[in-house]
């Protein structure tokens, strides 16, 4: 009887551990916010706030990004290099869209990670945990 109780207790604690693990995995996210868009010289400068809440430092993240005009037409496709993203430390990254004013840009689409390096190897963490937001009228899609 005591042996059965020990087995049941061990099984129950295993279930609790796997539930806790699943909950912490679902909380992991790579948060990318389009924080501002401003005209600078002859370019539209996009400023992003990035919070790596995955629990793992990202050695390098490059996202394929599509820029659309206000009518929905594709203006260009670029690779935005967000560089290293330490765990639990915010980073600000800026990208200039040359020969363009911000009022001609309607949306930015993060098409996916072109490269995402964690511990020296490619990882899918940049795609699987990506969460997008925008503080400006310009929409950030993903």
């Amino acid at each position: 009887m005591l042996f059965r109780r020990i087995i049941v207790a061990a099984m129950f604690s295993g279930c609790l551990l796997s539930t806790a693990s699943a909950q912490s995995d679902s909380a992991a996210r790579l948060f990318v916010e389009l924080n501002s868009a401003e005209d600078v010289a002859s370019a539209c400068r996009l400023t992003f706030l990035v919070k790596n809440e995955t629990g793992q430092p990202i050695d390098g993240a490059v996202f394929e990004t599509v820029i659309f005009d206000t009518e929905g037409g594709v203006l260009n496709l670029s690779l935005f290099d967000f560089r290293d993203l330490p765990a639990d430390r915010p980073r600000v990254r800026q990208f200039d869209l040359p020969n363009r004013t911000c009022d001609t840009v309607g949306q930015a689409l993060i098409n996916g990670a072109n490269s995402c390096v964690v511990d020296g190897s490619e990882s899918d963490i940049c795609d699987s945990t990506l969460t997008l937001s925008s503080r400006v009228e310009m929409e950030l899609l993903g």
Side-chain angles (χ1 to χ4, degrees), residues 2-23:
L2 179 60
F3 183 70
R4 269 192 198 169
R5 287 184 183 168
I6 292 172
I7 296 292
V8 168
M11 289 173 50
F12 181 71
S13 65
C15 288
L16 287 178
L17 286 175
S18 66
T19 301
S21 174
Q23 288 173 346

Side-chain angles (χ1 to χ4, degrees), residues 123-135:
S123 172
D124 73 339
I125 198 167
C126 294
D127 282 322
S128 64
T129 63
L130 186 63
T131 303
L132 302 173
S133 174
S134 180
R135 277 188 183 262

Side-chain angles (χ1 to χ4, degrees), residues 2-3 6 11 13 16 32-33 41 56 62 64 66 71 80-82 87-88 96 99 120 122 129:
L2 179 60
F3 183 70
I6 292 172
M11 289 173 50
S13 65
L16 287 178
V32 177
E33 173 189 83
Q56 300 178 59
V62 179
E64 182 178 271
V66 183
E71 303 297 314
F80 284 5
D81 186 352
F82 283 82
D88 300 318
D96 287 352
N99 304 315
E122 283 295 324
T129 63

Side-chain angles (χ1 to χ4, degrees), residues 5 21 24 50 54-55 61 63 67 89 99 101 108:
R5 287 184 183 168
S21 174
S24 67
V50 183
T54 65
F63 289 98
I67 304 299
R89 292 178 59 197
N99 304 315
T101 58

